[in-house]
Amino acid sequence: VCVCVCESNRMSLPTLLSLDATEVGLEKELLKGVCHVKCLGAKTQEDAMRSDEVPEADIIAVWHTVWLTPELLKRMTKAKMVVRMGVGYDNVDIEIAGELGIPVCNVPNYGTEEVADSAMAHILSLFRQTTPLAIRVANGAVIQGPDGIAAAAGQSCVRIRGKVLGCIGLGLIGKATALRAKVFGFRVLFFDPWISDGMDKAIGIERVETLDELLANSDVISMHCNCTKENTRMMNAKAFSKVKRGAFFVNTARGELVDDDALLASLQDGTLAGACLDVHWGEPFVIDKSEPLGTKGAELVRAGKLICTPHNAWYSVQSRTEMRTLGVDSAKRCLQGKPLRNVVNKEFLQNPRVPIM
């Protein structure tokens, strides 16, 4: 356990415990005089379960390495809140946390630019075949002359203007991606039953009423929704069977939204011309180890038809600082008795341990 104490008066201050962080220098600086800051450095839920620090912490912070299961949440006997250091909160059992009276707050207002930029980078790479060609050159291929370039790039390397991007989910990142795509000449469709009427008019894109309609009409599909019990594996064999043949697929949201076996089959049979995934089941993704994409799909990865990145779409130097600062702000509100914002488990909260908005 690494420990940074915010003030010399150790006995009088509450404690914030960051479960899966390994460095808390910024948090120490921002919370000076407000609380102690400790980092557990846990790699798994089991690491956190073994810690004597968890029951003593007044605030729990978690990134996306450790899963807050019912068993782990029940050990948080003093915790006034959980700060999820990020946007998605599928690694927290928010229903059980609510039953225990523990508000869970995410950080929805960080890194929107980074994830949208990353989604566009993947989309552009697929249409321009940048990454597959770079991989071939790195592996020693000699690609020269117009005919050689055309043969290497293949029939999937097509002009972007006029192509259709289908966004599944139109939250902050979905909207930011749609606006970027329009600049490149994409026609943008979106499917999101939770978005009020008129958003399409406001930003100049088109709404579709069903997922099937989006899948059938999109040249590239980009995932931008939270992962819940209801939409886990929403992109399954049935969904991929509706996809326009030769389309591309990009996921910077959550790996659990996709049935990997169905995705792999769609790449192998040509339904999909290529895919970029920044998020995966059972992260980290490791080629030759992660089932099934890293094993059965290893050749596709090596060829650049399936591009896998290590859940880094959110990251920049600035976004990491921004996320930590905003997470600290949420913890500070709690410790100062102010009503909490961005509570993602309001509907499940029973007798919340602190005020919420």
Side-chain angles (χ1 to χ4, degrees), residues 191-209:
F191 171 70
D192 191 332
W194 302 103
I195 295 293
S196 300
D197 290 343
M199 183 59 71
D200 48 340
K201 299 282 189 180
I203 64 174
I205 64 177
E206 300 171 49
R207 180 174 211 146
V208 296
E209 295 299 323

Side-chain angles (χ1 to χ4, degrees), residues 37-337:
V37 177
K38 299 182 180 182
C39 58
L40 189 60
K43 300 295 185 184
T44 65
Q45 182 228 353
E46 289 73 22
D47 291 341
M49 285 292 291
R50 288 192 293 267
S51 171
D52 293 333
E53 303 283 352
V54 171
E56 298 302 316
D58 297 278
I59 293 179
I60 297 288
V62 63
W63 291 70
H64 58 252
T65 304
V66 173
W67 290 71
L68 303 194
T69 60
E71 295 78 15
L72 183 52
L73 286 164
K74 288 173 183 176
R75 296 196 69 225
M76 300 176 187
T77 51
K78 285 184 62 179
K80 296 178 175 65
M81 69 175 298
V82 167
V83 182
R84 168 63 183 95
M85 303 293 282
V87 179
Y89 44 88
D90 52 302
N91 63 323
V92 182
D93 191 322
I94 59 172
E95 185 171 352
I96 296 299
E99 291 176 5
L100 293 169
I102 305 173
V104 178
C105 299
N106 70 340
V107 183
N109 50 338
Y110 95 98
T112 302
E113 304 100 310
E114 282 77 9
V115 182
D117 289 347
S118 294
M120 280 309 304
H122 286 315
I123 291 166
L124 296 174
S125 177
L126 288 166
F127 275 93
R128 303 302 307 134
Q129 290 294 290
T130 308
T131 302
L133 289 171
I135 290 172
R136 292 190 64 177
V137 170
N139 289 335
V142 179
I143 302 171
Q144 187 177 19
D147 293 337
I149 292 169
Q155 296 301 302
S156 295
C157 187
V158 296
R159 181 174 293 166
I160 288 170
R161 186 161 298 277
K163 294 298 182 183
V164 178
L165 165 64
C167 292
I168 300 177
L170 200 74
L172 297 176
I173 294 167
K175 283 194 282 287
T177 302
L179 291 170
R180 284 157 170 74
K182 287 176 61 183
V183 177
F184 285 93
F186 280 101
R187 173 187 165 208
V188 182
L189 310 179
F190 81 94
F191 171 70
D192 191 332
W194 302 103
I195 295 293
S196 300
D197 290 343
M199 183 59 71
D200 48 340
K201 299 282 189 180
I203 64 174
I205 64 177
E206 300 171 49
R207 180 174 211 146
V208 296
E209 295 299 323
T210 67
L211 178 60
D212 286 357
E213 185 180 355
L214 181 138
L215 298 176
N217 288 285
S218 298
D219 298 297
V220 56
I221 299 152
S222 190
M223 305 296 293
H224 296 288
C225 52
N226 288 330
C227 185
T228 66
K229 292 177 182 178
E230 291 73 26
N231 67 8
T232 297
R233 290 192 173 90
M234 65 180 294
M235 290 303 299
N236 53 25
K238 181 180 178 181
F240 281 115
S241 73
K242 308 290 185 181
V243 169
K244 182 178 182 180
R245 188 166 185 83
F248 297 119
F249 182 78
V250 173
N251 189 6
T252 55
R254 280 294 181 269
E256 291 80 6
L257 294 166
V258 182
D259 183 316
D260 282 349
D261 288 301
L263 172 65
L264 183 59
S266 297
L267 287 165
Q268 291 172 333
D269 69 15
T271 298
L272 292 176
C276 287
L277 309 177
D278 184 60
V279 286
H280 305 85
W281 285 86
E283 294 177 358
F285 174 84
V286 182
I287 195 165
D288 294 326
K289 291 184 179 180
S290 298
E291 293 281 357
L293 298 180
T295 52
K296 298 175 187 175
E299 291 309 310
L300 295 174
V301 176
R302 291 190 170 94
K305 189 170 182 179
L306 173 60
I307 298 165
C308 297
T309 52
H311 199 153
N312 64 288
W314 65 275
Y315 179 77
S316 69
V317 172
Q318 294 80 6
S319 69
R320 185 167 186 258
T321 299
E322 185 177 48
M323 175 163 50
R324 294 169 71 180
T325 302
L326 292 169
V328 163
D329 287 346
S330 187
K332 194 178 291 185
R333 289 186 68 86
C334 175
L335 294 172
Q336 293 174 342

